[in-house]
Amino acid sequence: MAGVVTSAGRVLEVLRRLILNNALLPGARLAETELADQLGVSRTPVREALRQLAAEGLVELSPNRGARVAGWSPAELESVFELRSTLEPRLTGMAAERADEGDLAELEKLANEMSAVGSPGPEQDLEALIPLNAAFHERLVQLADAPAFAAALAGAIRTPLVMRNFHAYDDASMRRSLAHHIEIVAAMRAGDPQWASAVMIAHLRNARAVMLRTTFPTADPGGVTRGR
């Protein structure tokens, strides 16, 4: 946390980045006084930043325990990815059956933009990648036109989890994820719902593996926790 911070907005930016980059791990205590000293500010901008981070789901505020970095148990993560893996591939297959050329062009543009800003390297911009990724997945859900499935999926997609996930990707996992978006469009262009669904399954399994590896280093990719 080197360097002096001079505004509430900057405090928010610094703390959010530390959480997303896992410099502040889930469950870590966030003491206002300590953070203010480390960042060279008063407690007021720190308190405002913590409130905003709590609204974003990245921080948990408790009257008795104070502020802590929000976390998820292995069971919670598994339930999220299990639900997504049930719903999203099916919705993607349905979208493949309904998409016209204009829809495919829109999805292809988003996939290419994600590759441009998300590919590993000095020009990588994860802050730009997150809304593009959301737009891509939301467009698939819209095209599927299945309101009941869409409502169930909305409860499983948690923005803080998605944000943390992108910041946790290693280069190989990121390249796989970006390639999946492009392949989903290719499958849709081929008019192959099963192919599109299969790629979405691989896409979610890739994300799950990243999240379990970085959040719970002792967790086995198959779902069995080691060393406990």
Side-chain angles (χ1 to χ4, degrees):
M1 293 188 193
V4 176
V5 182
T6 57
S7 70
R10 178 63 178 154
V11 171
L12 175 63
E13 178 185 335
V14 169
L15 292 179
R16 183 190 288 122
R17 188 165 297 278
L18 288 170
I19 292 171
L20 292 175
N21 290 336
N22 286 320
L24 290 171
L25 295 173
R29 181 171 172 269
L30 301 171
E32 290 182 10
T33 301
E34 293 175 9
L35 290 173
D37 289 343
Q38 291 169 339
L39 297 173
V41 296
S42 69
R43 292 175 60 182
T44 299
V46 172
R47 187 178 302 116
E48 293 175 1
L50 292 176
R51 287 173 179 165
Q52 177 59 38
L53 291 169
E56 295 175 9
L58 293 173
V59 166
E60 297 172 349
L61 297 178
S62 170
N64 299 321
R65 300 177 61 194
R68 293 182 181 275
V69 178
W72 299 269
S73 69
E76 287 172 327
L77 279 178
E78 288 287 7
S79 66
V80 167
F81 281 107
E82 182 178 354
L83 184 56
R84 289 189 65 183
S85 295
T86 299
L87 294 171
E88 275 195 89
R90 186 166 181 181
L91 287 165
T92 301
M94 294 168 72
E97 295 174 341
R98 292 174 169 82
D100 60 24
E101 183 55 39
D103 300 320
L104 293 173
E106 180 184 355
L107 288 167
E108 186 171 51
K109 181 174 183 293
L110 287 168
N112 289 335
E113 288 176 350
M114 278 189 278
S115 291
V117 302
S119 293
E123 302 302 317
Q124 186 182 58
D125 185 353
L126 296 180
E127 303 308 317
L129 176 61
I130 290 169
L132 290 170
N133 177 74
F136 184 92
H137 286 264
E138 287 169 4
R139 188 67 185 119
L140 290 176
V141 173
Q142 291 169 356
L143 287 171
D145 193 22
F149 287 168
L153 180 62
I157 298 179
R158 305 178 187 180
T159 300
L161 194 60
V162 174
M163 291 171 67
R164 189 189 291 274
N165 200 25
F166 271 125
H167 284 264
Y169 273 76
D170 57 25
D171 288 355
S173 298
M174 178 60 76
R175 290 191 181 97
R176 275 195 298 273
S177 180
L178 296 172
H180 287 152
H181 294 110
I182 292 172
E183 188 176 356
I184 286 170
V185 178
M188 295 175 72
R189 281 195 180 281
D192 193 331
Q194 291 184 332
W195 178 13
S197 297
V199 180
M200 181 57 77
I201 291 172
H203 185 62
L204 294 170
R205 298 295 289 186
N206 183 52
R208 171 188 173 276
V210 170
M211 204 65 207
L212 287 175
R213 182 183 69 244
T214 56
T215 307
F216 306 104
T218 58
D220 173 54
V224 179
T225 301
R226 302 193 302 269
R228 296 197 180 204

